[in-house]
Amino acid sequence: MQIREVENGIILEGIEDFEPAHVFDCGQCFRWIRQEDGSYTGVAMNRVININKEGDSIHIDNTNLEDFENIWYEYFDLARDYGALKKDLAKHDENLKKAVEFGPGIRILKQDGWEMLISFIISSNNRIPMIQRAINNISERYGHKIGTYRGKDYYAFPSPEELSRASIEDLRDCKTGFRDKYIYHTTRAVLDEKIDLKAFVDMDQDTCHKELMKFKGVGAKVADCIALFGMRKYQSFPVDVWVKRVMQEFYGAEDMSLPKMRKFGMDLFGDDAGFAQQYLFYYVRELEIGK
């Protein structure tokens, strides 16, 4: 991969294993929106950038080399050899091989743990457009304005201190539904108990999962999503209806409880369970396998 700085952006040339649609539409993030030209504009790390792929080059607009080196290289997990990872996963079984081939450009983003905590509480029993609307409402009302990009104003996800200004009624008005009280109590817990969410990154997977489930509105599946996408716990195996379906369809799993299905997947795929889950989830959801 070669990096070239251009006006108001950078270009990554010769990059492999990076397909924006696979990355941003695989269920791991909610603030990356597909534009009419096929590019994606996203808000992350108190920045707004646009990602567009042309041939084997990735164009990142509204950034600079310094931010790429200090923020985006890590955020997009560019140090990881996804080619080698996919080869290892493909050896596991034929179904996983097909899933890897179907979504070869998936990368697991290294997102902010606090934002993932609240975002996946909002995601519980919710549809993606509704999740996106609620997160945008919260950001516009309680986050600070990042700036204007291509004629639109963008706002950062609010910090716990900023979000603590919202009452349960305020949060309900942001279209969070029944999750309003969970967001409120989780925000208060982080502040009142002085919880350092960055410390969760250094916890082992089991401890991280147990600690996350202490927050209101965080069950096993939501905890796994937060751990995988915000806390770097790549053994995590979030189980939703699609993953349960694929485990039964491809791997002979019984109609077991979700916690047992979670353990089944973690035992089956080991340290790379989170990556396997993403490839399989994207594969079965996009093709509606087993529906």
Side-chain angles (χ1 to χ4, degrees):
M1 180 181 72
Q2 294 181 321
I3 306 165
R4 182 159 55 91
E5 193 162 18
V6 295
E7 184 178 358
N8 200 42
I10 62 167
I11 296 176
L12 310 180
E13 298 179 327
I15 188 169
E16 299 179 346
D17 314 307
F18 192 147
E19 187 62 51
H22 297 173
V23 174
F24 302 129
D25 293 337
C26 69
Q28 65 174 320
C29 54
F30 304 111
R31 302 204 71 193
W32 285 91
I33 307 299
R34 186 181 176 92
Q35 307 300 304
E36 290 184 2
D37 63 0
S39 68
Y40 287 78
T41 297
V43 180
M45 305 302 176
N46 289 307
R47 306 284 195 280
V48 54
I49 61 172
N50 177 271
I51 299 282
N52 189 35
K53 186 171 185 180
E54 295 182 11
D56 64 350
S57 297
I58 293 286
H59 295 230
I60 309 180
D61 191 47
N62 205 37
T63 192
N64 53 50
L65 187 58
E66 181 181 3
D67 273 2
F68 173 75
E69 293 174 344
N70 294 330
I71 300 173
W72 305 121
Y73 185 81
E74 176 80 1
Y75 179 82
F76 289 114
D77 201 20
L78 293 173
R80 190 182 307 277
D81 186 345
Y82 275 80
L85 172 68
K86 289 186 292 184
K87 284 181 182 178
D88 287 342
L89 290 174
K91 293 175 185 175
H92 191 278
D93 64 84
E94 188 61 28
N95 290 309
L96 188 48
K97 181 175 182 289
K98 290 179 181 177
V100 166
E101 291 171 347
F102 181 79
I106 288 175
R107 311 183 76 86
I108 293 185
L109 303 173
K110 293 186 176 182
Q111 301 179 80
D112 177 71
W114 159 250
E115 183 173 344
M116 291 300 96
L117 173 59
I118 299 301
S119 295
F120 278 97
I121 287 175
I122 292 171
S123 78
S124 181
N125 297 314
N126 208 352
R127 294 183 297 114
I128 287 179
M130 300 298 101
I131 301 167
Q132 291 175 327
R133 181 176 68 168
I135 291 172
N136 283 334
N137 287 341
I138 285 173
S139 299
E140 288 180 6
R141 296 185 191 186
Y142 301 102
H144 63 271
K145 183 178 176 180
I146 296 171
T148 303
Y149 178 69
R150 296 184 179 177
K152 183 178 178 181
D153 293 338
Y154 288 89
Y155 297 81
F157 191 83
S159 66
E161 291 78 11
E162 289 172 327
L163 193 54
S164 70
R165 303 198 313 267
S167 66
I168 293 176
E169 291 74 19
D170 293 334
L171 291 166
R172 184 178 306 131
D173 195 48
C174 289
K175 309 302 181 185
T176 60
F178 66 87
R179 307 155 198 87
D180 50 10
K181 56 186 177 295
Y182 300 145
I183 299 167
Y184 177 84
H185 289 300
T186 292
T187 303
R188 291 274 23 124
V190 168
L191 291 173
D192 296 345
E193 298 171 31
K194 296 180 171 56
I195 297 172
D196 179 10
L197 290 169
K198 289 184 172 61
F200 283 46
V201 174
D202 296 323
M203 294 176 182
D204 63 74
Q205 198 276 335
D206 287 340
T207 302
C208 179
H209 193 261
K210 289 175 183 175
E211 290 299 313
L212 285 169
M213 287 184 64
K214 291 179 181 179
F215 291 111
K216 299 284 187 182
V218 177
K221 182 256 183 177
V222 167
D224 270 322
C225 288
I226 300 164
L228 179 58
F229 305 129
M231 306 300 184
R232 327 292 185 253
K233 300 295 178 277
Y234 300 110
Q235 312 99 311
S236 301
F237 196 77
V239 179
D240 70 347
V241 63
W242 289 108
V243 174
K244 184 174 183 179
R245 193 171 292 159
V246 75
M247 296 305 287
Q248 292 174 329
E249 188 90 7
F250 293 163
Y251 298 102
E254 302 171 3
D255 188 15
M256 57 184 73
S257 67
L258 294 187
K260 288 183 178 179
M261 186 73 75
R262 170 182 181 266
K263 185 177 185 305
F264 182 86
M266 292 173 70
D267 291 344
L268 185 64
F269 299 115
D271 289 343
D272 293 331
F275 295 102
Q277 187 270 1
Q278 278 300 98
Y279 289 112
L280 288 167
F281 169 80
Y282 186 71
Y283 179 53
V284 296
R285 189 194 64 179
E286 293 300 300
L287 296 182
E288 298 187 338
I289 292 173
K291 188 172 182 180

